[in-house]
PDB file of all heavy atoms in Angstrom:
ATOM      1  N   THR A   1       0.842  -1.178  -0.003  1.00  0.00           N
ATOM      2  CA  THR A   1       0.004   0.001   0.004  1.00  0.00           C
ATOM      3  C   THR A   1       0.887   1.229   0.000  1.00  0.00           C
ATOM      4  O   THR A   1       1.608   1.502   0.981  1.00  0.00           O
ATOM      5  CB  THR A   1      -0.920   0.019   1.240  1.00  0.00           C
ATOM      6  OG1 THR A   1      -1.706  -1.185   1.270  1.00  0.00           O
ATOM      7  CG2 THR A   1      -1.848   1.234   1.226  1.00  0.00           C
ATOM      8  N   LEU A   2       0.868   1.979  -1.103  1.00  0.00           N
ATOM      9  CA  LEU A   2       1.681   3.194  -1.211  1.00  0.00           C
ATOM     10  C   LEU A   2       0.874   4.398  -0.738  1.00  0.00           C
ATOM     11  O   LEU A   2      -0.262   4.585  -1.195  1.00  0.00           O
ATOM     12  CB  LEU A   2       2.127   3.391  -2.656  1.00  0.00           C
ATOM     13  CG  LEU A   2       2.963   2.264  -3.268  1.00  0.00           C
ATOM     14  CD1 LEU A   2       3.320   2.572  -4.735  1.00  0.00           C
ATOM     15  CD2 LEU A   2       4.236   2.041  -2.469  1.00  0.00           C
ATOM     16  N   PRO A   3       1.399   5.222   0.158  1.00  0.00           N
ATOM     17  CA  PRO A   3       0.637   6.326   0.742  1.00  0.00           C
ATOM     18  C   PRO A   3       0.462   7.487  -0.239  1.00  0.00           C
ATOM     19  O   PRO A   3       1.299   7.711  -1.136  1.00  0.00           O
ATOM     20  CB  PRO A   3       1.492   6.757   1.926  1.00  0.00           C
ATOM     21  CG  PRO A   3       2.881   6.395   1.537  1.00  0.00           C
ATOM     22  CD  PRO A   3       2.764   5.134   0.746  1.00  0.00           C
ATOM     23  N   ALA A   4      -0.606   8.256  -0.052  1.00  0.00           N
ATOM     24  CA  ALA A   4      -0.900   9.395  -0.908  1.00  0.00           C
ATOM     25  C   ALA A   4       0.174  10.477  -0.811  1.00  0.00           C
ATOM     26  O   ALA A   4       0.312  11.300  -1.724  1.00  0.00           O
ATOM     27  CB  ALA A   4      -2.258   9.977  -0.537  1.00  0.00           C
ATOM     28  N   SER A   5       0.940  10.481   0.268  1.00  0.00           N
ATOM     29  CA  SER A   5       1.990  11.481   0.482  1.00  0.00           C
ATOM     30  C   SER A   5       3.243  11.243  -0.359  1.00  0.00           C
ATOM     31  O   SER A   5       4.095  12.114  -0.485  1.00  0.00           O
ATOM     32  CB  SER A   5       2.395  11.483   1.968  1.00  0.00           C
ATOM     33  OG  SER A   5       2.794  10.169   2.365  1.00  0.00           O
ATOM     34  N   LEU A   6       3.356  10.063  -0.951  1.00  0.00           N
ATOM     35  CA  LEU A   6       4.573   9.660  -1.670  1.00  0.00           C
ATOM     36  C   LEU A   6       4.826  10.551  -2.899  1.00  0.00           C
ATOM     37  O   LEU A   6       3.924  10.821  -3.673  1.00  0.00           O
ATOM     38  CB  LEU A   6       4.456   8.204  -2.099  1.00  0.00           C
ATOM     39  CG  LEU A   6       5.744   7.452  -2.406  1.00  0.00           C
ATOM     40  CD1 LEU A   6       6.584   7.303  -1.137  1.00  0.00           C
ATOM     41  CD2 LEU A   6       5.440   6.092  -2.992  1.00  0.00           C
ATOM     42  N   THR A   7       6.097  10.994  -3.037  1.00  0.00           N
ATOM     43  CA  THR A   7       6.449  11.832  -4.192  1.00  0.00           C
ATOM     44  C   THR A   7       7.495  11.181  -5.101  1.00  0.00           C
ATOM     45  O   THR A   7       7.640  11.592  -6.248  1.00  0.00           O
ATOM     46  CB  THR A   7       6.985  13.200  -3.737  1.00  0.00           C
ATOM     47  OG1 THR A   7       8.165  13.000  -2.928  1.00  0.00           O
ATOM     48  CG2 THR A   7       5.943  13.971  -2.936  1.00  0.00           C
ATOM     49  N   SER A   8       8.226  10.175  -4.599  1.00  0.00           N
ATOM     50  CA  SER A   8       9.231   9.521  -5.453  1.00  0.00           C
ATOM     51  C   SER A   8       9.455   8.072  -5.036  1.00  0.00           C
ATOM     52  O   SER A   8       9.310   7.722  -3.867  1.00  0.00           O
ATOM     53  CB  SER A   8      10.559  10.275  -5.426  1.00  0.00           C
ATOM     54  OG  SER A   8      11.127  10.242  -4.127  1.00  0.00           O
ATOM     55  N   ILE A   9       9.818   7.274  -6.020  1.00  0.00           N
ATOM     56  CA  ILE A   9      10.151   5.848  -5.798  1.00  0.00           C
ATOM     57  C   ILE A   9      11.552   5.644  -6.385  1.00  0.00           C
ATOM     58  O   ILE A   9      11.828   5.967  -7.531  1.00  0.00           O
ATOM     59  CB  ILE A   9       9.136   4.937  -6.510  1.00  0.00           C
ATOM     60  CG1 ILE A   9       7.729   5.142  -5.908  1.00  0.00           C
ATOM     61  CG2 ILE A   9       9.541   3.482  -6.401  1.00  0.00           C
ATOM     62  CD1 ILE A   9       6.630   4.425  -6.651  1.00  0.00           C
ATOM     63  N   GLY A  10      12.448   5.089  -5.578  1.00  0.00           N
ATOM     64  CA  GLY A  10      13.847   4.964  -5.952  1.00  0.00           C
ATOM     65  C   GLY A  10      14.142   3.870  -6.988  1.00  0.00           C
ATOM     66  O   GLY A  10      13.258   3.128  -7.414  1.00  0.00           O
ATOM     67  N   SER A  11      15.408   3.731  -7.352  1.00  0.00           N
ATOM     68  CA  SER A  11      15.840   2.721  -8.299  1.00  0.00           C
ATOM     69  C   SER A  11      15.789   1.336  -7.675  1.00  0.00           C
ATOM     70  O   SER A  11      16.131   1.155  -6.508  1.00  0.00           O
ATOM     71  CB  SER A  11      17.284   3.023  -8.734  1.00  0.00           C
ATOM     72  OG  SER A  11      17.372   4.240  -9.407  1.00  0.00           O
ATOM     73  N   LYS A  12      15.319   0.368  -8.461  1.00  0.00           N
ATOM     74  CA  LYS A  12      15.264  -1.039  -8.039  1.00  0.00           C
ATOM     75  C   LYS A  12      14.493  -1.263  -6.749  1.00  0.00           C
ATOM     76  O   LYS A  12      14.689  -2.258  -6.046  1.00  0.00           O
ATOM     77  CB  LYS A  12      16.676  -1.619  -7.907  1.00  0.00           C
ATOM     78  CG  LYS A  12      17.444  -1.651  -9.221  1.00  0.00           C
ATOM     79  CD  LYS A  12      18.792  -2.359  -9.097  1.00  0.00           C
ATOM     80  CE  LYS A  12      19.499  -2.441 -10.437  1.00  0.00           C
ATOM     81  NZ  LYS A  12      20.795  -3.129 -10.359  1.00  0.00           N
ATOM     82  N   THR A  13      13.558  -0.370  -6.448  1.00  0.00           N
ATOM     83  CA  THR A  13      12.805  -0.463  -5.195  1.00  0.00           C
ATOM     84  C   THR A  13      12.060  -1.781  -5.078  1.00  0.00           C
ATOM     85  O   THR A  13      12.054  -2.433  -4.041  1.00  0.00           O
ATOM     86  CB  THR A  13      11.801   0.703  -5.073  1.00  0.00           C
ATOM     87  OG1 THR A  13      12.529   1.918  -5.083  1.00  0.00           O
ATOM     88  CG2 THR A  13      11.011   0.618  -3.778  1.00  0.00           C
ATOM     89  N   PHE A  14      11.385  -2.206  -6.168  1.00  0.00           N
ATOM     90  CA  PHE A  14      10.615  -3.460  -6.148  1.00  0.00           C
ATOM     91  C   PHE A  14      11.206  -4.479  -7.136  1.00  0.00           C
ATOM     92  O   PHE A  14      10.513  -5.405  -7.576  1.00  0.00           O
ATOM     93  CB  PHE A  14       9.155  -3.183  -6.479  1.00  0.00           C
ATOM     94  CG  PHE A  14       8.465  -2.309  -5.485  1.00  0.00           C
ATOM     95  CD1 PHE A  14       8.271  -0.958  -5.715  1.00  0.00           C
ATOM     96  CD2 PHE A  14       8.023  -2.828  -4.272  1.00  0.00           C
ATOM     97  CE1 PHE A  14       7.642  -0.141  -4.791  1.00  0.00           C
ATOM     98  CE2 PHE A  14       7.381  -2.031  -3.331  1.00  0.00           C
ATOM     99  CZ  PHE A  14       7.214  -0.678  -3.593  1.00  0.00           C
ATOM    100  N   TYR A  15      12.449  -4.347  -7.469  1.00  0.00           N
ATOM    101  CA  TYR A  15      13.118  -5.273  -8.403  1.00  0.00           C
ATOM    102  C   TYR A  15      12.980  -6.712  -7.906  1.00  0.00           C
ATOM    103  O   TYR A  15      13.237  -7.033  -6.736  1.00  0.00           O
ATOM    104  CB  TYR A  15      14.591  -4.902  -8.503  1.00  0.00           C
ATOM    105  CG  TYR A  15      15.424  -5.753  -9.441  1.00  0.00           C
ATOM    106  CD1 TYR A  15      15.794  -5.285 -10.688  1.00  0.00           C
ATOM    107  CD2 TYR A  15      15.843  -7.037  -9.069  1.00  0.00           C
ATOM    108  CE1 TYR A  15      16.575  -6.050 -11.549  1.00  0.00           C
ATOM    109  CE2 TYR A  15      16.594  -7.818  -9.921  1.00  0.00           C
ATOM    110  CZ  TYR A  15      16.967  -7.332 -11.158  1.00  0.00           C
ATOM    111  OH  TYR A  15      17.717  -8.086 -11.984  1.00  0.00           O
ATOM    112  N   GLY A  16      12.543  -7.606  -8.791  1.00  0.00           N
ATOM    113  CA  GLY A  16      12.497  -9.022  -8.450  1.00  0.00           C
ATOM    114  C   GLY A  16      11.375  -9.422  -7.519  1.00  0.00           C
ATOM    115  O   GLY A  16      11.422 -10.504  -6.933  1.00  0.00           O
ATOM    116  N   CYS A  17      10.335  -8.562  -7.379  1.00  0.00           N
ATOM    117  CA  CYS A  17       9.160  -8.930  -6.580  1.00  0.00           C
ATOM    118  C   CYS A  17       8.220  -9.732  -7.471  1.00  0.00           C
ATOM    119  O   CYS A  17       7.252  -9.203  -8.016  1.00  0.00           O
ATOM    120  CB  CYS A  17       8.502  -7.681  -5.999  1.00  0.00           C
ATOM    121  SG  CYS A  17       9.492  -6.809  -4.775  1.00  0.00           S
ATOM    122  N   TYR A  18       8.502 -11.015  -7.635  1.00  0.00           N
ATOM    123  CA  TYR A  18       7.840 -11.851  -8.609  1.00  0.00           C
ATOM    124  C   TYR A  18       6.319 -11.953  -8.422  1.00  0.00           C
ATOM    125  O   TYR A  18       5.583 -12.120  -9.380  1.00  0.00           O
ATOM    126  CB  TYR A  18       8.405 -13.276  -8.572  1.00  0.00           C
ATOM    127  CG  TYR A  18       9.884 -13.391  -8.803  1.00  0.00           C
ATOM    128  CD1 TYR A  18      10.628 -14.344  -8.099  1.00  0.00           C
ATOM    129  CD2 TYR A  18      10.544 -12.578  -9.686  1.00  0.00           C
ATOM    130  CE1 TYR A  18      11.989 -14.480  -8.290  1.00  0.00           C
ATOM    131  CE2 TYR A  18      11.904 -12.683  -9.895  1.00  0.00           C
ATOM    132  CZ  TYR A  18      12.628 -13.642  -9.187  1.00  0.00           C
ATOM    133  OH  TYR A  18      13.974 -13.743  -9.379  1.00  0.00           O
ATOM    134  N   GLN A  19       5.857 -11.898  -7.163  1.00  0.00           N
ATOM    135  CA  GLN A  19       4.438 -12.143  -6.892  1.00  0.00           C
ATOM    136  C   GLN A  19       3.589 -10.881  -6.905  1.00  0.00           C
ATOM    137  O   GLN A  19       2.366 -10.950  -6.801  1.00  0.00           O
ATOM    138  CB  GLN A  19       4.295 -12.841  -5.532  1.00  0.00           C
ATOM    139  CG  GLN A  19       4.991 -14.174  -5.435  1.00  0.00           C
ATOM    140  CD  GLN A  19       4.538 -15.173  -6.492  1.00  0.00           C
ATOM    141  OE1 GLN A  19       3.337 -15.269  -6.781  1.00  0.00           O
ATOM    142  NE2 GLN A  19       5.472 -15.873  -7.084  1.00  0.00           N
ATOM    143  N   LEU A  20       4.205  -9.725  -7.015  1.00  0.00           N
ATOM    144  CA  LEU A  20       3.460  -8.469  -7.044  1.00  0.00           C
ATOM    145  C   LEU A  20       2.658  -8.397  -8.330  1.00  0.00           C
ATOM    146  O   LEU A  20       3.230  -8.476  -9.427  1.00  0.00           O
ATOM    147  CB  LEU A  20       4.450  -7.303  -6.937  1.00  0.00           C
ATOM    148  CG  LEU A  20       3.889  -5.919  -6.618  1.00  0.00           C
ATOM    149  CD1 LEU A  20       3.250  -5.903  -5.234  1.00  0.00           C
ATOM    150  CD2 LEU A  20       5.007  -4.875  -6.684  1.00  0.00           C
ATOM    151  N   ASP A  21       1.322  -8.249  -8.214  1.00  0.00           N
ATOM    152  CA  ASP A  21       0.518  -8.310  -9.426  1.00  0.00           C
ATOM    153  C   ASP A  21      -0.109  -6.974  -9.840  1.00  0.00           C
ATOM    154  O   ASP A  21      -0.497  -6.805 -10.987  1.00  0.00           O
ATOM    155  CB  ASP A  21      -0.586  -9.380  -9.322  1.00  0.00           C
ATOM    156  CG  ASP A  21      -1.534  -9.124  -8.150  1.00  0.00           C
ATOM    157  OD1 ASP A  21      -1.404  -8.060  -7.492  1.00  0.00           O
ATOM    158  OD2 ASP A  21      -2.397  -9.989  -7.907  1.00  0.00           O
ATOM    159  N   SER A  22      -0.202  -6.030  -8.925  1.00  0.00           N
ATOM    160  CA  SER A  22      -0.753  -4.717  -9.280  1.00  0.00           C
ATOM    161  C   SER A  22      -0.227  -3.641  -8.348  1.00  0.00           C
ATOM    162  O   SER A  22       0.059  -3.908  -7.174  1.00  0.00           O
ATOM    163  CB  SER A  22      -2.281  -4.735  -9.269  1.00  0.00           C
ATOM    164  OG  SER A  22      -2.752  -4.937  -7.950  1.00  0.00           O
ATOM    165  N   VAL A  23      -0.083  -2.436  -8.879  1.00  0.00           N
ATOM    166  CA  VAL A  23       0.403  -1.304  -8.100  1.00  0.00           C
ATOM    167  C   VAL A  23      -0.332  -0.051  -8.539  1.00  0.00           C
ATOM    168  O   VAL A  23      -0.521   0.188  -9.742  1.00  0.00           O
ATOM    169  CB  VAL A  23       1.921  -1.087  -8.309  1.00  0.00           C
ATOM    170  CG1 VAL A  23       2.380   0.179  -7.582  1.00  0.00           C
ATOM    171  CG2 VAL A  23       2.715  -2.265  -7.839  1.00  0.00           C
ATOM    172  N   VAL A  24      -0.757   0.742  -7.534  1.00  0.00           N
ATOM    173  CA  VAL A  24      -1.335   2.041  -7.812  1.00  0.00           C
ATOM    174  C   VAL A  24      -0.343   3.088  -7.342  1.00  0.00           C
ATOM    175  O   VAL A  24      -0.037   3.180  -6.159  1.00  0.00           O
ATOM    176  CB  VAL A  24      -2.692   2.230  -7.103  1.00  0.00           C
ATOM    177  CG1 VAL A  24      -3.221   3.641  -7.349  1.00  0.00           C
ATOM    178  CG2 VAL A  24      -3.699   1.204  -7.572  1.00  0.00           C
ATOM    179  N   ILE A  25       0.193   3.861  -8.286  1.00  0.00           N
ATOM    180  CA  ILE A  25       1.158   4.909  -7.949  1.00  0.00           C
ATOM    181  C   ILE A  25       0.373   6.151  -7.506  1.00  0.00           C
ATOM    182  O   ILE A  25      -0.455   6.641  -8.267  1.00  0.00           O
ATOM    183  CB  ILE A  25       2.059   5.259  -9.155  1.00  0.00           C
ATOM    184  CG1 ILE A  25       2.690   3.978  -9.748  1.00  0.00           C
ATOM    185  CG2 ILE A  25       3.134   6.250  -8.717  1.00  0.00           C
ATOM    186  CD1 ILE A  25       3.608   3.240  -8.826  1.00  0.00           C
ATOM    187  N   PRO A  26       0.616   6.658  -6.310  1.00  0.00           N
ATOM    188  CA  PRO A  26      -0.148   7.800  -5.788  1.00  0.00           C
ATOM    189  C   PRO A  26      -0.033   9.063  -6.647  1.00  0.00           C
ATOM    190  O   PRO A  26       0.932   9.233  -7.410  1.00  0.00           O
ATOM    191  CB  PRO A  26       0.447   8.023  -4.402  1.00  0.00           C
ATOM    192  CG  PRO A  26       1.027   6.707  -4.020  1.00  0.00           C
ATOM    193  CD  PRO A  26       1.558   6.120  -5.292  1.00  0.00           C
ATOM    194  N   SER A  27      -0.980   9.954  -6.471  1.00  0.00           N
ATOM    195  CA  SER A  27      -1.144  11.107  -7.363  1.00  0.00           C
ATOM    196  C   SER A  27      -0.052  12.166  -7.236  1.00  0.00           C
ATOM    197  O   SER A  27       0.067  13.044  -8.097  1.00  0.00           O
ATOM    198  CB  SER A  27      -2.499  11.775  -7.108  1.00  0.00           C
ATOM    199  OG  SER A  27      -2.569  12.248  -5.758  1.00  0.00           O
ATOM    200  N   LYS A  28       0.767  12.132  -6.169  1.00  0.00           N
ATOM    201  CA  LYS A  28       1.813  13.128  -5.988  1.00  0.00           C
ATOM    202  C   LYS A  28       3.192  12.660  -6.491  1.00  0.00           C
ATOM    203  O   LYS A  28       4.148  13.439  -6.504  1.00  0.00           O
ATOM    204  CB  LYS A  28       1.941  13.534  -4.515  1.00  0.00           C
ATOM    205  CG  LYS A  28       0.735  14.293  -3.985  1.00  0.00           C
ATOM    206  CD  LYS A  28       0.943  14.677  -2.519  1.00  0.00           C
ATOM    207  CE  LYS A  28      -0.256  15.415  -1.961  1.00  0.00           C
ATOM    208  NZ  LYS A  28      -0.058  15.779  -0.547  1.00  0.00           N
ATOM    209  N   VAL A  29       3.304  11.429  -6.914  1.00  0.00           N
ATOM    210  CA  VAL A  29       4.599  10.893  -7.358  1.00  0.00           C
ATOM    211  C   VAL A  29       5.029  11.565  -8.661  1.00  0.00           C
ATOM    212  O   VAL A  29       4.277  11.593  -9.640  1.00  0.00           O
ATOM    213  CB  VAL A  29       4.553   9.368  -7.546  1.00  0.00           C
ATOM    214  CG1 VAL A  29       5.827   8.847  -8.206  1.00  0.00           C
ATOM    215  CG2 VAL A  29       4.365   8.680  -6.190  1.00  0.00           C
ATOM    216  N   THR A  30       6.245  12.108  -8.649  1.00  0.00           N
ATOM    217  CA  THR A  30       6.775  12.774  -9.849  1.00  0.00           C
ATOM    218  C   THR A  30       7.888  11.973 -10.531  1.00  0.00           C
ATOM    219  O   THR A  30       8.164  12.213 -11.702  1.00  0.00           O
ATOM    220  CB  THR A  30       7.315  14.176  -9.500  1.00  0.00           C
ATOM    221  OG1 THR A  30       8.355  14.053  -8.503  1.00  0.00           O
ATOM    222  CG2 THR A  30       6.213  15.063  -8.947  1.00  0.00           C
ATOM    223  N   SER A  31       8.520  11.041  -9.784  1.00  0.00           N
ATOM    224  CA  SER A  31       9.615  10.283 -10.408  1.00  0.00           C
ATOM    225  C   SER A  31       9.659   8.851  -9.916  1.00  0.00           C
ATOM    226  O   SER A  31       9.384   8.560  -8.748  1.00  0.00           O
ATOM    227  CB  SER A  31      10.952  10.957 -10.110  1.00  0.00           C
ATOM    228  OG  SER A  31      11.262  10.938  -8.734  1.00  0.00           O
ATOM    229  N   ILE A  32      10.018   7.965 -10.814  1.00  0.00           N
ATOM    230  CA  ILE A  32      10.231   6.544 -10.525  1.00  0.00           C
ATOM    231  C   ILE A  32      11.607   6.194 -11.078  1.00  0.00           C
ATOM    232  O   ILE A  32      11.905   6.416 -12.253  1.00  0.00           O
ATOM    233  CB  ILE A  32       9.157   5.663 -11.189  1.00  0.00           C
ATOM    234  CG1 ILE A  32       7.758   6.020 -10.651  1.00  0.00           C
ATOM    235  CG2 ILE A  32       9.448   4.180 -10.929  1.00  0.00           C
ATOM    236  CD1 ILE A  32       6.638   5.282 -11.349  1.00  0.00           C
ATOM    237  N   GLY A  33      12.464   5.620 -10.228  1.00  0.00           N
ATOM    238  CA  GLY A  33      13.850   5.359 -10.597  1.00  0.00           C
ATOM    239  C   GLY A  33      14.029   4.185 -11.549  1.00  0.00           C
ATOM    240  O   GLY A  33      13.093   3.442 -11.857  1.00  0.00           O
ATOM    241  N   ASN A  34      15.266   4.026 -11.999  1.00  0.00           N
ATOM    242  CA  ASN A  34      15.621   2.932 -12.919  1.00  0.00           C
ATOM    243  C   ASN A  34      15.301   1.560 -12.317  1.00  0.00           C
ATOM    244  O   ASN A  34      15.531   1.315 -11.122  1.00  0.00           O
ATOM    245  CB  ASN A  34      17.111   2.977 -13.250  1.00  0.00           C
ATOM    246  CG  ASN A  34      17.477   4.176 -14.075  1.00  0.00           C
ATOM    247  OD1 ASN A  34      16.647   4.746 -14.765  1.00  0.00           O
ATOM    248  ND2 ASN A  34      18.748   4.563 -14.028  1.00  0.00           N
ATOM    249  N   SER A  35      14.765   0.684 -13.142  1.00  0.00           N
ATOM    250  CA  SER A  35      14.525  -0.713 -12.781  1.00  0.00           C
ATOM    251  C   SER A  35      13.648  -0.884 -11.517  1.00  0.00           C
ATOM    252  O   SER A  35      13.719  -1.888 -10.844  1.00  0.00           O
ATOM    253  CB  SER A  35      15.858  -1.442 -12.547  1.00  0.00           C
ATOM    254  OG  SER A  35      16.675  -1.385 -13.700  1.00  0.00           O
ATOM    255  N   ALA A  36      12.805   0.121 -11.235  1.00  0.00           N
ATOM    256  CA  ALA A  36      11.964   0.085 -10.030  1.00  0.00           C
ATOM    257  C   ALA A  36      11.095  -1.161  -9.968  1.00  0.00           C
ATOM    258  O   ALA A  36      10.877  -1.721  -8.873  1.00  0.00           O
ATOM    259  CB  ALA A  36      11.117   1.342  -9.938  1.00  0.00           C
ATOM    260  N   PHE A  37      10.589  -1.612 -11.137  1.00  0.00           N
ATOM    261  CA  PHE A  37       9.718  -2.793 -11.186  1.00  0.00           C
ATOM    262  C   PHE A  37      10.266  -3.864 -12.120  1.00  0.00           C
ATOM    263  O   PHE A  37       9.522  -4.720 -12.595  1.00  0.00           O
ATOM    264  CB  PHE A  37       8.314  -2.378 -11.610  1.00  0.00           C
ATOM    265  CG  PHE A  37       7.629  -1.447 -10.641  1.00  0.00           C
ATOM    266  CD1 PHE A  37       7.639  -0.079 -10.852  1.00  0.00           C
ATOM    267  CD2 PHE A  37       7.028  -1.928  -9.494  1.00  0.00           C
ATOM    268  CE1 PHE A  37       7.028   0.801  -9.956  1.00  0.00           C
ATOM    269  CE2 PHE A  37       6.401  -1.073  -8.588  1.00  0.00           C
ATOM    270  CZ  PHE A  37       6.405   0.280  -8.816  1.00  0.00           C
ATOM    271  N   GLU A  38      11.567  -3.852 -12.361  1.00  0.00           N
ATOM    272  CA  GLU A  38      12.167  -4.846 -13.244  1.00  0.00           C
ATOM    273  C   GLU A  38      12.047  -6.242 -12.621  1.00  0.00           C
ATOM    274  O   GLU A  38      12.164  -6.430 -11.418  1.00  0.00           O
ATOM    275  CB  GLU A  38      13.646  -4.525 -13.491  1.00  0.00           C
ATOM    276  CG  GLU A  38      14.312  -5.461 -14.512  1.00  0.00           C
ATOM    277  CD  GLU A  38      15.740  -5.075 -14.823  1.00  0.00           C
ATOM    278  OE1 GLU A  38      16.201  -4.022 -14.336  1.00  0.00           O
ATOM    279  OE2 GLU A  38      16.398  -5.855 -15.543  1.00  0.00           O
ATOM    280  N   ASN A  39      11.827  -7.247 -13.490  1.00  0.00           N
ATOM    281  CA  ASN A  39      11.676  -8.650 -13.074  1.00  0.00           C
ATOM    282  C   ASN A  39      10.505  -8.879 -12.126  1.00  0.00           C
ATOM    283  O   ASN A  39      10.512  -9.815 -11.325  1.00  0.00           O
ATOM    284  CB  ASN A  39      12.980  -9.163 -12.422  1.00  0.00           C
ATOM    285  CG  ASN A  39      14.066  -9.442 -13.445  1.00  0.00           C
ATOM    286  OD1 ASN A  39      13.781  -9.550 -14.642  1.00  0.00           O
ATOM    287  ND2 ASN A  39      15.301  -9.565 -12.988  1.00  0.00           N
ATOM    288  N   CYS A  40       9.498  -8.041 -12.209  1.00  0.00           N
ATOM    289  CA  CYS A  40       8.227  -8.299 -11.520  1.00  0.00           C
ATOM    290  C   CYS A  40       7.338  -9.035 -12.530  1.00  0.00           C
ATOM    291  O   CYS A  40       6.464  -8.439 -13.180  1.00  0.00           O
ATOM    292  CB  CYS A  40       7.582  -6.988 -11.062  1.00  0.00           C
ATOM    293  SG  CYS A  40       8.493  -6.123  -9.767  1.00  0.00           S
ATOM    294  N   SER A  41       7.596 -10.301 -12.665  1.00  0.00           N
ATOM    295  CA  SER A  41       7.044 -11.084 -13.786  1.00  0.00           C
ATOM    296  C   SER A  41       5.526 -11.263 -13.736  1.00  0.00           C
ATOM    297  O   SER A  41       4.892 -11.559 -14.759  1.00  0.00           O
ATOM    298  CB  SER A  41       7.722 -12.451 -13.860  1.00  0.00           C
ATOM    299  OG  SER A  41       7.650 -13.120 -12.613  1.00  0.00           O
ATOM    300  N   ASN A  42       4.912 -11.105 -12.562  1.00  0.00           N
ATOM    301  CA  ASN A  42       3.459 -11.247 -12.446  1.00  0.00           C
ATOM    302  C   ASN A  42       2.716  -9.917 -12.433  1.00  0.00           C
ATOM    303  O   ASN A  42       1.499  -9.890 -12.273  1.00  0.00           O
ATOM    304  CB  ASN A  42       3.097 -12.037 -11.187  1.00  0.00           C
ATOM    305  CG  ASN A  42       3.302 -13.523 -11.355  1.00  0.00           C
ATOM    306  OD1 ASN A  42       3.111 -14.042 -12.445  1.00  0.00           O
ATOM    307  ND2 ASN A  42       3.715 -14.203 -10.302  1.00  0.00           N
ATOM    308  N   LEU A  43       3.452  -8.834 -12.577  1.00  0.00           N
ATOM    309  CA  LEU A  43       2.834  -7.512 -12.534  1.00  0.00           C
ATOM    310  C   LEU A  43       2.028  -7.281 -13.818  1.00  0.00           C
ATOM    311  O   LEU A  43       2.583  -7.203 -14.912  1.00  0.00           O
ATOM    312  CB  LEU A  43       3.908  -6.436 -12.372  1.00  0.00           C
ATOM    313  CG  LEU A  43       3.424  -5.004 -12.092  1.00  0.00           C
ATOM    314  CD1 LEU A  43       2.650  -4.947 -10.771  1.00  0.00           C
ATOM    315  CD2 LEU A  43       4.615  -4.061 -12.030  1.00  0.00           C
TER     316      LEU A  43
END
C-alpha cells in the first residue's frame, strides 16, 4: 500500500518482486527510478 503522500520511488525499489501483481502509484509521485519494477514477472 503506497501512501498518498509519496512523491518519489527509488531505483530497483521493487526489483524481483515476482508475486506483485498490481500497483497504484499515488497522485503526488513525480519520479520513478531505474529498474523500479524490473523482473516483476506477475505484474
Side-chain angles (χ1 to χ4, degrees):
T1 303
L2 300 179
S5 55
L6 201 66
T7 60
S8 65
I9 297 172
S11 297
K12 296 186 177 180
T13 299
F14 296 101
Y15 180 104
C17 293
Y18 303 144
Q19 300 303 317
L20 194 63
D21 60 5
S22 66
V23 175
V24 176
I25 308 297
S27 62
K28 293 181 181 179
V29 171
T30 59
S31 65
I32 298 175
N34 292 336
S35 302
F37 296 98
E38 185 176 354
N39 284 344
C40 293
S41 54
N42 282 326
L43 189 62

